[in-house]
Amino acid sequence: MERTWTVGLCWRCEDGGVPVLWLGPVQSAEAGDAPFFCCAPCVRRLEALVIAHNRHSVVVDDNPVTSTLARPNGA
């Protein structure tokens, strides 16, 4: 998958003027759809959450800046 970065607002941490990646549409029950952009640290955090979800019963670092990988329980 090709990743095209642009400068803009991260929709997760709300940091502006940073390189962001379009991750897909986000849906609102009241306001419709919008493009979902995230900065590199937030993309890594979301990737860690996906890994955790797919591994089942893992703990993920809560810090969106430092968390890059899921770690097993007790680690």
Side-chain angles (χ1 to χ4, degrees):
M1 166 174 44
E2 182 181 331
R3 293 184 168 206
T4 303
W5 293 84
T6 186
V7 174
L9 174 71
C10 176
W11 277 47
R12 185 169 186 275
C13 71
E14 299 184 30
D15 197 5
V18 297
V20 291
L21 180 66
W22 179 77
L23 298 179
V26 64
Q27 297 178 338
S28 167
E30 298 177 11
D33 298 343
F36 184 56
F37 288 92
C38 283
C39 65
C42 288
V43 168
R44 286 193 300 269
R45 173 65 176 141
L46 290 170
E47 288 176 349
L49 289 169
V50 170
I51 290 167
H53 172 79
N54 288 319
R55 285 188 182 165
H56 303 291
S57 72
V58 294
V59 177
V60 179
D61 182 353
D62 289 332
N63 187 328
V65 175
T66 61
S67 64
T68 58
L69 298 173
R71 52 185 161 74
N73 281 331

